[in-house]
Amino acid sequence: MQIRELNVPDSYEITPKQFGDDRGVFLEWYRFDKLEEATGRSIKLAQSNTSVSKRGSVRGIHFADIPIGQAKYVTATRGAVLDYVVDIRVGSPTFGQWDTVLLDDTDRKAIFISEGLGHCFVALTDDATVSYLVTDTYRPEREHGINPLDAEIGLVLPPEAGEPLLSPKDTEAPGLSEAAASGLLPTWEAARAFYETLKGN
């Protein structure tokens, strides 16, 4: 597999090598050793999730408090989504910036998003099925969101997604500046210090 860091530090695109024959396809979509080699840190998985979404569904921008945070390793097992990583770490050199990876059932790429980064995706097909491996269990009191349509962040939703469908929770979430002013966002320093504790563990 090939792993490259995205324009948002501490997030990575993973492209697996696929082996096809007349029976179908085989691939390794997650390798802890390859990911640790690329990121310089260990990944301890605690929970796996699956979502199925209608075309146009937007999920995010979501993040969890650091520590412990919740890193995510995400792939699409059916259909296609455009996955976004947003740098919401106050003080980061790329604060407020974002990058994307197309996750689909053709290239079968994955994205790894470190703790303290915002995560969002929009479904490009009906029944888009996304599987997540995460490093901590769901803790609702530590989970937060930013409105994915916040003009300051300026996520560009592709036209093939159609009309965006958002949950009330995401629609009512604060914008980036409001979240920063309220002290809701993680800091660059706290995130980097936390990543250091994960090296060699």
Side-chain angles (χ1 to χ4, degrees), residues 116-137:
L117 293 171
H119 177 242
C120 176
F121 71 77
V122 58
L124 305 181
T125 61
D126 283 327
D127 296 324
T129 304
V130 174
S131 291
Y132 319 63
L133 305 176
V134 296
T135 58
D136 192 32
T137 57

Side-chain angles (χ1 to χ4, degrees), residues 29 33 41 50-51 84 93 112 130 139 161 169 176 178 189 199:
W29 73 276
D33 54 340
R41 51 163 289 188
T50 297
S51 66
Y84 301 80
F112 175 70
V130 174
R139 302 174 190 264
K169 178 181 176 181
L176 184 67
E178 182 183 352
E189 292 79 9
K199 291 184 176 179

